[in-house]
Amino acid sequence: PSPRSFQANGASEEALRCEIEELKQKDLALDQEIAQLLSEGYSLEELDKHISLLHEYNEIKDAGQMLLGKLAVIRGVTTKQLYPEYDLELSD
Protein backbone atom coordinates (compact mmCIF):
# COMPACT_ATOMS: atom_id res chain seq x y z
CA PRO A 1 0.00 0.00 0.00
CA SER A 2 1.13 3.46 -0.83
CA PRO A 3 1.44 6.26 1.75
CA ARG A 4 -1.63 7.83 0.14
CA SER A 5 -3.80 4.81 0.93
CA PHE A 6 -2.71 5.01 4.58
CA GLN A 7 -3.70 8.69 4.60
CA ALA A 8 -7.02 7.91 2.96
CA ASN A 9 -7.69 5.12 5.46
CA GLY A 10 -6.73 7.41 8.32
CA ALA A 11 -9.06 10.09 7.01
CA SER A 12 -11.82 7.51 6.56
CA GLU A 13 -11.38 6.23 10.07
CA GLU A 14 -11.41 9.76 11.45
CA ALA A 15 -14.57 10.56 9.47
CA LEU A 16 -16.20 7.39 10.82
CA ARG A 17 -15.18 8.28 14.38
CA CYS A 18 -16.74 11.73 13.92
CA GLU A 19 -19.90 10.23 12.49
CA ILE A 20 -20.12 7.74 15.36
CA GLU A 21 -19.69 10.55 17.87
CA GLU A 22 -22.42 12.60 16.16
CA LEU A 23 -24.76 9.60 16.24
CA LYS A 24 -24.03 9.07 19.94
CA GLN A 25 -24.87 12.72 20.59
CA LYS A 26 -28.14 12.42 18.64
CA ASP A 27 -28.98 9.24 20.56
CA LEU A 28 -28.35 11.01 23.85
CA ALA A 29 -30.46 14.00 22.78
CA LEU A 30 -33.33 11.70 21.78
CA ASP A 31 -33.09 9.82 25.08
CA GLN A 32 -33.29 13.15 26.92
CA GLU A 33 -36.28 14.23 24.84
CA ILE A 34 -38.06 10.94 25.55
CA ALA A 35 -37.31 11.28 29.26
CA GLN A 36 -38.73 14.81 29.23
CA LEU A 37 -41.91 13.68 27.48
CA LEU A 38 -42.31 10.82 29.94
CA SER A 39 -41.85 13.23 32.85
CA GLU A 40 -44.60 15.41 31.34
CA GLY A 41 -47.00 12.48 31.59
CA TYR A 42 -46.81 10.98 28.13
CA SER A 43 -46.67 7.21 27.90
CA LEU A 44 -44.51 5.24 25.48
CA GLU A 45 -47.67 3.75 23.96
CA GLU A 46 -49.05 7.25 23.35
CA LEU A 47 -45.78 8.39 21.78
CA ASP A 48 -45.71 5.28 19.57
CA LYS A 49 -49.29 6.00 18.48
CA HIS A 50 -48.43 9.62 17.60
CA ILE A 51 -45.41 8.47 15.60
CA SER A 52 -47.52 5.90 13.78
CA LEU A 53 -50.16 8.52 12.97
CA LEU A 54 -47.49 10.93 11.70
CA HIS A 55 -46.12 8.23 9.40
CA GLU A 56 -49.61 7.53 8.08
CA TYR A 57 -50.26 11.25 7.56
CA ASN A 58 -46.98 11.65 5.66
CA GLU A 59 -47.77 8.68 3.41
CA ILE A 60 -51.22 10.09 2.61
CA LYS A 61 -49.78 13.55 1.99
CA ASP A 62 -47.10 12.09 -0.31
CA ALA A 63 -49.78 10.24 -2.30
CA GLY A 64 -51.82 13.44 -2.60
CA GLN A 65 -48.77 15.38 -3.77
CA MET A 66 -48.03 12.70 -6.35
CA LEU A 67 -51.61 12.84 -7.67
CA LEU A 68 -51.52 16.64 -7.82
CA GLY A 69 -48.25 16.44 -9.72
CA LYS A 70 -49.67 14.01 -12.27
CA LEU A 71 -52.80 16.11 -12.68
CA ALA A 72 -50.67 19.23 -13.16
CA VAL A 73 -48.69 17.49 -15.91
CA ILE A 74 -51.88 16.36 -17.65
CA ARG A 75 -53.30 19.89 -17.52
CA GLY A 76 -50.00 21.53 -18.38
CA VAL A 77 -49.93 23.70 -15.27
CA THR A 78 -47.86 23.84 -12.11
CA THR A 79 -48.90 22.04 -8.96
CA LYS A 80 -49.06 25.42 -7.25
CA GLN A 81 -51.73 26.52 -9.71
CA LEU A 82 -53.95 23.60 -8.64
CA TYR A 83 -53.94 24.48 -4.93
CA PRO A 84 -56.73 27.11 -5.05
CA GLU A 85 -58.95 24.77 -7.09
CA TYR A 86 -58.84 22.22 -4.28
CA ASP A 87 -58.88 24.75 -1.42
CA LEU A 88 -55.32 23.89 -0.42
CA GLU A 89 -52.92 26.25 1.29
CA LEU A 90 -49.39 26.52 -0.07
CA SER A 91 -48.17 25.44 3.37
CA ASP A 92 -50.09 22.14 3.03
Side-chain angles (χ1 to χ4, degrees):
S2 70
R4 287 196 124 161
S5 64
F6 282 122
Q7 288 175 339
N9 284 341
S12 295
E13 288 179 24
E14 185 58 32
L16 287 174
R17 280 191 199 99
C18 287
E19 187 174 350
I20 289 169
E21 188 57 38
E22 287 174 14
L23 290 171
K24 286 180 181 179
Q25 292 299 321
K26 285 181 183 179
D27 185 48
L28 180 61
L30 288 172
D31 285 345
Q32 290 171 343
E33 189 174 340
I34 289 169
Q36 180 181 350
L37 289 169
L38 292 173
S39 73
E40 292 173 5
Y42 293 97
S43 68
L44 288 178
E45 294 79 21
E46 187 178 11
L47 294 174
D48 285 341
K49 180 66 175 173
H50 284 284
I51 290 169
S52 175
L53 289 171
L54 283 171
H55 284 295
E56 185 177 347
Y57 166 81
N58 284 329
E59 288 172 6
I60 292 168
K61 184 177 176 183
D62 289 346
Q65 290 293 325
M66 184 179 65
L67 289 172
L68 277 176
K70 289 181 184 243
L71 183 59
V73 168
I74 290 169
R75 291 189 182 177
V77 298
T78 65
T79 304
K80 183 178 178 180
Q81 290 172 307
L82 294 176
Y83 273 57
E85 184 177 338
Y86 295 97
D87 295 323
L88 298 171
E89 299 291 327
L90 288 177
S91 60
D92 286 340

